[in-house]
Amino acid sequence: MTAQLIDGTAIAQKVRNEVKEKVAKRIAEGKPQPGLATVLVGDRIDSATYVSMKQKACAELGMTSFHHPLPADVSQEELEDLIRKLNADPKVHGILVQLPLPAHLDEERVLSLISIEKDVDGFSPLNLGRLAQKGREPLFVPCTPYGCIYLLKEAGVQIAGANAVVLGRSNIVGMPAALLLIKENATVTVVHSKTKDIPAVLRNADIIIAAIGRAQMVRGDWIKPGAAVIDVGINGVPVLDANGNPVINEKTGKPKQKLVGDVNFEEAKEVAGFITPVPGGVGPMTIAMLMANTLRAAEIQDK
Ligand code: GUN
């Protein structure tokens, strides 16, 4: 292995400890306890798991969370009414609407409605617009891309002047990650499903942020020796035995699954200079940065 492992679990814990200390200090000073409202529409298991991890993190760091589960068939009006109520509630400093929303809901309208000062996900058009513009700063940066850049900086990777390639152009990760890298003075290429010769584009990258949602897509020989590889992917794949057959879980009778990223880790770690594991890389950072954003929201609202 040539690559230095970037330990997202340890770095996220450091961020969480810093947030916890600052929260305790502000409460000791008589300032309000930071509060995060979480809105979960429907019963997607992955979304419910992420939201419950966010609530748990709030409790651990001394913040309040207000959970608002809504049925999958909630109307646009009901959801918008809830957002207006949360915007007006002084105990709520941050509002998080877990995505994706069911198809009948207008996500853009919902995100636009969140007060910019409470937009701890950084998904409102105002925050994203500021992220995209020179000389302007958003109040909040989307949590996963923020975590990716934080990991690069903690590892001591030079971003300014680097050739950075972002795989994927989602609103949640790829696009804001590209904007953030531009702000950090990298030269940025965004790779997507219509890109020609993706391996050739990646071979020129000093920094790769992989957020395309395809298990182990990035092969070792696509990576420039010494590059920093940040793997955002979380993909379930079957566990195989020595003969290549799926291993069955004795309790459930179903094939056993394991989590892998968008990068073939075993190959990439022999070529890259820095690499994040999956799990234990970007994943823990998303929640840590949400906690940092929620504290920041409370601080902005003190004024
Ligand atoms: N769905 C997947 N990632 C995220 C995230 O960071 N925030 C929200 N609100 N929804 C998500």
Side-chain angles (χ1 to χ4, degrees):
M1 169 148 172
T2 64
Q4 185 182 317
L5 205 66
I6 304 179
D7 183 349
T9 306
I11 296 170
Q13 191 57 52
K14 196 182 82 152
V15 173
R16 288 167 73 126
N17 292 345
E18 286 166 6
V19 171
K20 187 174 178 175
E21 236 173 72
K22 287 184 186 161
V23 169
K25 185 162 173 276
R26 60 176 281 123
I27 291 170
E29 288 167 353
K31 292 179 180 159
Q33 186 178 30
L36 174 69
T38 53
V39 180
L40 175 65
V41 182
D43 48 13
R44 276 180 65 121
I45 290 173
D46 56 348
S47 292
T49 306
Y50 292 137
V51 169
S52 92
M53 286 162 77
K54 291 167 186 178
Q55 292 170 271
K56 199 164 150 241
C58 282
E60 275 176 29
L61 272 51
M63 307 201 219
T64 320
S65 62
F66 307 94
H67 185 45
H68 296 270
L70 296 172
D73 62 355
V74 70
S75 70
Q76 181 77 21
E77 289 67 31
E78 280 172 281
L79 180 53
E80 289 188 10
D81 282 348
L82 173 61
I83 302 294
R84 283 191 202 94
K85 234 188 269 166
L86 297 174
N87 279 341
D89 184 342
K91 288 201 193 73
V92 171
H93 299 96
I95 301 172
L96 178 137
V97 178
Q98 188 65 27
L99 302 176
L101 291 173
H104 70 281
L105 294 169
D106 184 338
E107 178 185 300
E108 192 187 346
R109 273 187 64 122
V110 172
L111 297 178
S112 305
L113 208 57
I114 297 174
S115 149
I116 184 171
E117 297 193 335
K118 298 191 177 187
D119 176 33
V120 287
D121 252 331
F123 293 156
S124 85
L126 271 173
N127 271 318
L128 277 173
R130 287 187 187 177
L131 185 61
Q133 288 178 329
K134 206 174 164 189
R136 311 242 163 99
E137 294 296 333
L139 290 180
F140 304 101
V141 174
C143 305
T144 303
Y146 188 10
C148 294
I149 301 297
Y150 198 95
L151 290 178
L152 287 169
K153 289 186 175 173
E154 281 286 309
V157 175
Q158 166 87 18
I159 304 177
N163 286 331
V165 174
V166 180
L167 272 111
R169 53 180 164 179
S170 70
N171 290 338
I172 292 176
V173 187
M175 191 52 74
L179 296 173
L180 207 44
L181 285 163
I182 293 170
K183 266 225 182 315
E184 295 286 340
N185 297 312
T187 302
V188 181
T189 306
V190 179
V191 163
H192 46 76
S193 56
K194 298 281 191 292
T195 301
K196 289 180 190 140
D197 201 352
I198 294 175
V201 177
L202 284 188
R203 283 187 195 114
N204 193 35
D206 304 307
I207 295 170
I208 296 172
I209 295 187
I212 205 156
R214 286 181 54 188
Q216 299 174 314
M217 171 178 157
V218 177
R219 308 299 304 260
D221 67 352
W222 299 11
I223 295 170
K224 181 172 165 179
V229 180
I230 306 293
D231 191 350
V232 183
I234 304 177
N235 310 289
V237 294
V239 177
L240 303 178
D241 66 15
N243 301 318
N245 298 315
V247 176
I248 303 299
N249 183 326
E250 283 174 17
K251 274 192 199 146
T252 63
K254 290 184 183 160
K256 266 193 185 167
Q257 292 246 326
K258 62 173 178 174
L259 291 181
V260 298
D262 292 348
V263 176
N264 184 317
F265 182 82
E266 289 306 311
E267 293 177 4
K269 75 183 192 340
E270 303 301 333
V271 190
F274 299 88
I275 192 164
T276 59
V278 175
V282 175
M285 291 303 291
T286 298
I287 294 182
M289 299 336 260
L290 174 67
M291 297 298 106
N293 278 352
T294 304
L295 169 62
R296 179 168 156 73
E299 288 170 351
I300 288 170
Q301 287 158 65
D302 285 340
K303 292 175 188 143

